[in-house]
Amino acid sequence: MNLSRQRAEEIFSKVLKYSTADETEAIISSTSYSLTRFANNTIHQNVAEESGSLSVRAVVDGRMARASTNKLDEPSIRQTCEGALMLARLQPPIPDLLPMPGPQMYRAVARSYSETAGLTPQTRAETVAQVVARAEKDHLIAAGVFASGASAYALFNSRGLGAFHEETLSEFSVTMLGESSSGWAKETSPYWAELEPLELAETAARKALESREPQEIAPGRYTVILEPSALLDLLGFLVLDFSGLAVHEQRSCLTGRVGQKVFGENVSLRDDVYHPLQTGAPFDGEGVPRQRMPIVEKGEVKNLVYARQTAKRLGAQPSGHGLPLPNDIGEAPVNIVMEGDHSSVDEMVRSTERGLLVTRFWYIREVDPYQKILTGMTRDGTFWIEDGQIRHGVKNLRFNQSLISMLGQVEALSVPQRTAGEESFEMVVPAVKVREFNFSSATKY
Amino acid sequence: MKNFAKQALDTAVTRGATYADVRVVGIRDRFLSTKNGEAAQVRESDSLGLGIRAIADGAWGFAATDELTHASIDRTAARAVEIARASALAKKHDVQLAPENKIVDHWEAPCRIDPFAVPVSTCLDLLLKVDAALRRVQGVTLAEASMDFRRVEQLFLSSLGSEIYQVKTQTGAGYVGTSFADNEIQRRSYPNSFGGQYQTRGYEVVEELDLLGNAPRVAEEAVALHKCEQCPAGVRDIILDSSQVGLQIHESIGHPIELDRVLGTEANFAGMSFLTVEKLGNLKYGSDIVNVVADATPAHGPGLGTFAYDDEGVPGQCTPIIKDGLFVGYLSSRETAGAIGQTRSSGAMRAENWNRIPLIRMTNVSLLPGTWKLEDLIADTADGIYMETNRSWSIDDRRYNFQFGTEIGWEIKGGKKARMLKNPSYGGITTDFWNSCDAICSRDYWTLWGTPNCGKGQPMQTMGTGHGAAPARFRRVQVGVAYPG
């Protein structure tokens, strides 16, 4: 059963009872999560878990440490408080450590649905059976997941701050496999009735069927149309670079580039937890309210995000993007919204003389941290476009591409949508058409 | 805890499970890090819970809880059976498991110095000394160092009557010096990138690494990289240091031999494998000198894949994977072994924690040592590049096309290590690459590396794997592939 605010407050009162630190913060959370996994047209894994946790941050004499447990009985709470304090005392003081924030006001976000929390394994299994039937109609093999769950997250501190957030999640993803090809589609939502498993199955099946017997193309620079999931998984590698601390420590690709026009005129990004298609809590890892933050406007790096400690060190204002302390990273924008336009993927295809349509990427890794060169592979539906039409599937390709350069070569954007991938957290992003995307080698399928 | 585990088993069987196993897992973690002269992260956590896996109506179900009360255990075990029955609504055939023996045993991994008994202040003091040594070199703009300790206690009970208690202690440590200059970020890590070296041992791992002694060299190399030439593009012979060989094994041998991938059950996320079953015993995976084993036994060493029993209660084994270049073995589970007609699991089922089911995971997948001295190997190379310490890694979802980058390289000319090279990278196709291996260094150069962060499964599980490797040479490899011309 999910944590209630009242139960969280009860636990925190025990934390305060046992903590003798100068300042004490507690993060109390619960998770209820179920996942049905299918492959080879059958369910092969089906799991459920219930868990809770308490994490105590103690500050004493300018020193700070954290101890966590999933045991919420009184002796364990006491032991965790003592553990955090003991660890804090054993380290050198942290220069200019800020006091914890006091009470804050939060804007409400409604992201918890009882229908999602109550989804049964029988409903998930029946949905999977329908998706398998769709696969078998065209002699395809289906694999995927149908997951649902609920979580609650409370953050309290001894200066009177109290924050509480509940959220549900649901996820459906499907891969359809043919003898020489595959297709993939995925959706997530806090409200499971918004998922469209059969439409996703249809999309994945169509991609698998239309990319049968893929042909080789020579590596090189091509115009590409990146479906939203493909763009999302690339953009995920840029998120940490907008941290004020990362720029200060010169580990960000935006070092020396803040205030400059780094990307194309048609690229604008903001962090906006309040966007109706976004998910997450309206407060950060210290309980500071999250602010909407434009980070790129018409290609110019406009703002970075700041945790309280970073902001103090750098003379900036905290933006509500701090991670739970202590951490090495500082802060990060985790609710990215990219502005789009009104082009559709079909229109992008029609306007392309020669190019590629990419469904998603796989195993993306950073090759060069300052040029922001990324490498990775295409996967599950890559198509050759010629004279405005999709002609055939192509064997998968490896790319080595600077993300910074790529975002200066965007020719068209679709309406942004809630998007899920497999290598980044969810964002609201469009499909994009990009010129001169660099593919460096091919694989065998 | 044993009472809870027995209660869970009994409830599952009473509810109709034809097979069930229970794991009660307790994990204690401590992570310490420093950054630019300050303690950055000082945190500790513990976790205790129970997971039960059941077969009912011929299908799998799993449920887990951290509420260790009799009522919760009954509810969780009943839920596992209910979920299994739901799975059966979309089954194609009944789950069949390869036979296994009942085992009652207790095993504890050797640990000479309990890392949790080492004062935190002692650890932080060493990390801060390393930090200072890194920043003493002009041009180092960021110094980061860390230690990571974990103790895992697990009780496994199954309806076969098995009862296995295991305790493992893992220790990791490492650091990185970063230098930003001239619009370029360069890094050097020691003893390996992405956290350093990890083994299933105690604090003796840290003591043996000589963290402080290596810091000046590492820092100087990070700064010197700005001034050296870019790794050229083209075809070259390459020699990889043992840590990079370890990651090459992980990605291009360890993952493709996972039988669940081969059989398609990871198709939606982690991917499949080019090693389809007809290749077993027939594929020339590598050159004749390439011999690889998946060895979980303590005799192989204290790797992150060392254990006495896997999480299905199957004894840890040494499985030949590549013998004299020929592909001869998979990593398997009781279910997948039976599916390809093998009589026994290779003992590779591992779960991240109590709230995750076991999946087929690498144990210690190691390249057996050859005969070369590294100095002789370099002297034997007319025109090549020596590459050291991984910087980036990527491979396709069937494990053919790979690309790696390393932190540093050196040109080899006329049998001598010559100028330093920055941004080295290489790429290729798995079997072509391993067939191009013509020299492997000897046991003296062999290290059992730990990879603590291998991801797989939905929901995602992170697992530690081991990879024994020595420096090795590969002929005519595409280098400089990561940087667009």
Side-chain angles (χ1 to χ4, degrees):
Chain A
M1 193 166 76
N2 240 21
L3 180 79
S4 65
R5 181 168 185 133
Q6 184 185 353
R7 171 70 180 136
E9 285 172 347
E10 287 168 10
I11 293 169
F12 184 60
S13 68
K14 290 176 186 162
V15 169
L16 285 182
K17 178 177 158 190
Y18 292 117
S19 177
T20 56
D22 297 344
E23 292 188 311
T24 305
E25 173 199 272
I27 295 173
I28 305 155
S29 64
S30 72
T31 300
S32 169
Y33 183 74
S34 299
L35 181 143
T36 298
R37 201 170 187 213
F38 55 102
N40 297 321
N41 289 346
T42 189
I43 291 174
H44 67 107
Q45 289 171 15
N46 209 344
V47 302
E49 71 164 287
E50 302 278 346
S51 63
S53 75
L54 164 68
S55 183
V56 174
R57 179 163 68 101
V59 174
V60 61
D61 298 332
R63 299 161 164 87
M64 168 174 65
R66 180 175 291 282
S68 307
T69 184
N70 70 340
K71 293 173 275 187
L72 300 178
D73 56 277
E74 201 144 337
S76 298
I77 292 172
R78 179 178 189 159
Q79 191 178 348
T80 304
C81 291
E82 290 170 353
L85 189 63
M86 182 273 293
L87 285 173
R89 285 204 165 114
L90 291 172
Q91 59 180 291
I94 300 163
D96 62 16
L97 180 67
L98 281 171
M100 290 183 183
Q104 307 284 324
M105 296 288 287
Y106 304 110
R107 179 175 156 183
V109 290
R111 286 168 179 163
S112 182
Y113 297 88
S114 57
E115 298 90 335
T116 306
L119 198 65
T120 65
Q122 287 79 14
T123 301
R124 290 195 302 275
E126 286 160 9
T127 304
V128 169
Q130 290 177 301
V131 167
V132 166
R134 170 62 192 90
E136 289 175 335
K137 185 179 128 193
D138 280 310
H139 309 289
L140 298 170
I141 294 169
V145 298
F146 190 176
S148 59
S151 62
Y153 183 93
L155 193 156
F156 300 105
N157 72 30
S158 54
R159 289 173 58 86
L161 183 146
F164 184 77
H165 178 71
E166 288 179 292
E167 189 156 318
T168 50
L169 67 91
S170 62
E171 169 188 344
F172 189 88
S173 70
V174 57
T175 301
M176 291 284 189
L177 297 153
E179 285 193 9
S180 60
S181 61
S182 58
W184 174 87
K186 179 177 181 178
E187 280 181 346
T188 60
S189 173
Y191 184 42
W192 87 271
E194 287 182 355
L195 298 182
E196 303 161 306
L198 296 183
E199 286 191 26
L200 296 174
E202 191 60 43
T203 299
R206 180 176 47 78
K207 284 176 180 283
L209 294 169
E210 291 179 359
S211 60
R212 276 181 297 199
E213 296 180 12
Q215 298 177 27
E216 277 186 36
I217 64 161
R221 291 187 182 273
Y222 291 98
T223 292
V224 292
I225 296 163
L226 305 181
E227 292 198 352
S229 293
L231 176 63
L232 163 89
D233 282 339
L234 296 176
L235 280 183
F237 281 79
L238 200 56
V239 165
L240 294 177
D241 293 272
F242 286 95
S243 151
L245 188 63
V247 171
H248 175 66
E249 292 175 342
Q250 299 180 307
R251 57 183 162 85
S252 164
C253 73
L254 301 178
T255 305
R257 287 168 167 158
V258 179
Q260 294 182 11
K261 201 171 188 78
V262 176
F263 310 114
E265 178 80 14
N266 54 2
V267 173
S268 293
L269 299 168
R270 69 181 189 276
D271 189 80
D272 183 3
V273 73
Y274 307 104
H275 189 285
L277 298 179
Q278 270 291 355
T279 57
F283 52 88
D284 75 0
E286 277 192 278
V288 177
R290 290 191 183 279
Q291 294 178 22
R292 284 197 180 98
M293 185 59 66
I295 51 178
V296 176
E297 283 188 351
K298 295 184 176 179
E300 179 186 334
V301 179
K302 204 76 180 173
N303 293 296
L304 304 174
V305 296
Y306 297 95
R308 292 171 69 242
Q309 195 72 34
T310 310
K312 187 193 174 198
R313 286 187 176 181
L314 304 181
Q317 289 298 311
S319 61
H321 294 87
L323 303 176
L325 294 170
N327 72 77
D328 295 327
I329 295 169
E331 54 278 312
V334 293
N335 297 98
I336 297 290
V337 178
M338 181 169 173
E339 282 188 21
D341 202 345
H342 296 289
S343 187
S344 67
V345 169
D346 285 345
E347 286 167 354
M348 293 181 204
V349 169
R350 281 199 295 276
S351 66
T352 301
E353 195 176 328
R354 288 161 57 84
L356 291 156
L357 172 65
V358 177
T359 298
R360 69 159 163 160
F361 290 123
W362 164 248
Y363 222 132
I364 305 166
R365 289 294 182 273
E366 185 178 85
V367 165
D368 186 296
Y370 196 73
Q371 294 187 49
K372 211 66 185 177
I373 298 171
L374 306 178
T375 191
M377 299 293 303
T378 63
R379 179 174 174 182
D380 297 327
T382 309
F383 298 90
W384 176 247
I385 302 164
E386 199 165 310
D387 297 331
Q389 288 192 321
I390 290 175
R391 298 294 178 178
H392 53 77
V394 298
K395 291 189 177 178
N396 286 300
L397 295 157
R398 172 171 297 286
F399 65 89
N400 279 280
Q401 171 66 48
S402 161
L403 186 54
I404 295 172
S405 300
M406 188 197 97
L407 292 174
Q409 296 159 194
V410 176
E411 293 188 337
L413 305 93
S414 74
V415 173
Q417 63 188 65
R418 185 205 319 271
T419 303
E422 297 293 2
E423 306 212 11
S424 177
F425 52 82
E426 291 144 38
M427 302 181 192
V428 180
V429 295
V432 292
K433 179 177 170 181
V434 175
R435 64 180 176 275
E436 294 189 4
F437 191 93
N438 183 56
F439 291 103
S440 53
S441 65
T443 191
K444 294 190 170 186
Y445 61 94
Chain B
M1 290 305 124
K2 192 168 157 184
N3 288 341
F4 285 131
K6 280 188 167 171
Q7 182 194 341
L9 267 189
D10 291 344
T11 302
V13 171
T14 304
R15 295 270 181 159
T18 53
Y19 170 82
D21 56 36
V22 179
R23 287 177 304 109
V24 183
V25 185
I27 296 183
R28 182 182 182 193
D29 283 304
R30 179 178 290 171
F31 184 80
L32 310 170
S33 70
T34 58
K35 185 166 75 170
N36 277 359
E38 295 177 15
Q41 293 201 56
V42 180
R43 56 182 166 84
E44 182 155 333
S45 66
D46 66 63
S47 158
L48 177 67
L50 175 148
I52 177 162
R53 201 172 62 137
I55 298 174
D57 293 351
W60 281 115
F62 174 84
T65 183
D66 58 1
E67 187 185 332
L68 297 182
T69 62
H70 291 293
S72 171
I73 298 299
D74 268 345
R75 198 166 56 239
T76 304
R79 193 177 187 195
V81 175
E82 182 203 354
I83 290 171
R85 293 212 159 100
S87 302
L89 295 174
K91 75 175 179 185
K92 295 293 181 199
H93 53 77
D94 285 358
V95 172
Q96 300 287 336
L97 301 179
E100 194 50 58
N101 299 322
K102 168 186 168 179
I103 291 164
V104 178
D105 200 2
H106 169 286
W107 178 77
E108 188 159 351
C111 169
R112 189 164 60 80
I113 305 171
D114 177 4
F116 293 96
V118 178
V120 168
S121 51
T122 302
C123 301
L124 287 173
D125 185 55
L126 175 57
L127 294 176
L128 287 169
K129 281 181 178 155
V130 168
D131 178 290
L134 290 170
R135 288 184 299 123
R136 211 168 285 134
V137 175
Q138 192 172 7
V140 169
T141 50
L142 183 63
E144 297 168 286
S146 63
M147 291 185 196
D148 195 355
F149 310 136
R150 166 168 284 201
R151 174 162 296 126
V152 182
E153 294 181 61
Q154 175 169 298
L155 176 65
F156 171 91
L157 265 64
S158 80
S159 55
L160 291 178
S162 289
E163 188 177 315
I164 300 166
Y165 179 71
Q166 295 187 92
V167 182
K168 291 185 294 185
T169 303
Q170 295 168 354
T171 300
Y175 56 84
V176 55
T178 302
S179 174
F180 175 80
D182 305 326
N183 289 338
E184 187 176 78
I185 296 170
Q186 293 292 348
R187 296 189 181 108
R188 283 296 283 135
S189 307
Y190 179 83
N192 200 356
S193 46
F194 308 105
Q197 168 66 315
Y198 281 73
Q199 290 193 327
T200 300
R201 289 197 290 157
Y203 194 76
E204 60 270 23
V205 172
V206 177
E207 292 188 340
E208 292 167 16
L209 286 174
D210 190 15
L211 294 173
L212 193 53
N214 282 279
R217 173 186 60 81
V218 166
E220 284 158 14
E221 287 177 353
V223 175
L225 280 165
H226 290 293
K227 303 291 182 194
C228 72
E229 294 292 315
Q230 174 86 6
C231 173
V235 175
R236 294 282 195 288
D237 296 341
I238 63 171
I239 299 172
L240 302 178
D241 83 308
S242 69
S243 67
Q244 179 56 33
V245 174
L247 192 59
Q248 180 78 48
I249 295 166
H250 179 99
E251 300 292 358
S252 66
I253 298 177
H255 279 305
I257 62 173
E258 295 163 344
L259 194 47
D260 52 354
R261 282 176 175 272
V262 174
L263 298 178
T265 54
E266 293 292 325
N268 186 57
F269 179 61
M272 297 176 67
S273 171
F274 72 93
L275 284 176
T276 43
V277 291
E278 78 282 358
K279 294 189 175 75
L280 186 64
N282 295 309
L283 175 74
K284 193 76 167 61
Y285 206 122
S287 62
D288 290 349
I289 63 167
V290 173
N291 288 282
V292 174
V293 295
D295 194 344
T297 67
H300 191 69
L304 290 187
T306 299
F307 48 79
Y309 302 94
D310 79 353
D311 292 342
E312 289 193 306
V314 177
Q317 297 160 43
C318 177
T319 304
I321 300 297
I322 300 172
K323 186 162 176 47
D324 301 332
L326 189 69
F327 169 52
V328 295
Y330 287 114
L331 291 165
S332 63
S333 61
R334 293 183 65 195
E335 184 177 4
T336 56
I340 64 165
Q342 295 189 339
T343 54
R344 196 181 193 197
S345 162
S346 73
M349 286 289 268
R350 306 175 67 195
E352 177 187 82
N353 206 335
W354 53 268
N355 59 348
R356 295 286 180 267
I357 55 166
L359 300 172
I360 295 176
R361 304 306 302 254
M362 285 173 241
T363 55
N364 301 307
V365 181
S366 299
L367 176 67
L368 298 182
T371 55
W372 286 77
K373 289 182 178 175
L374 180 58
E375 309 84 87
D376 294 344
L377 185 53
I378 289 170
D380 186 65
T381 303
D383 182 11
I385 299 172
Y386 178 70
M387 298 188 186
E388 190 175 305
T389 317
N390 182 265
R391 188 166 91 169
S392 70
W393 68 103
S394 174
I395 191 164
D396 71 43
D397 60 289
R398 294 192 189 174
R399 304 277 153 173
Y400 274 123
N401 178 309
F402 65 81
Q403 179 180 301
F404 292 94
T406 64
E407 290 182 347
I408 194 167
W410 282 272
E411 195 171 51
I412 301 171
K413 282 284 184 195
K416 288 195 167 57
K417 208 167 148 185
R419 60 181 181 154
M420 184 185 286
L421 298 170
K422 67 182 172 188
N423 305 326
S425 61
Y426 68 96
I429 296 292
T430 292
T431 44
D432 296 346
F433 184 77
W434 284 105
N435 275 285
S436 77
C437 179
D438 78 336
I440 302 168
C441 288
S442 68
R443 174 72 64 177
D444 292 345
Y445 301 86
W446 193 87
T447 302
L448 185 48
W449 293 99
T451 302
N453 56 350
C454 178
K456 185 178 176 182
Q458 293 172 298
M460 170 70 88
Q461 299 190 41
T462 302
M463 183 58 66
T465 64
H467 305 290
R473 183 172 62 192
F474 301 85
R475 296 288 196 181
R476 300 191 54 73
V477 176
Q478 286 285 343
V479 300
V481 291
Y483 281 74

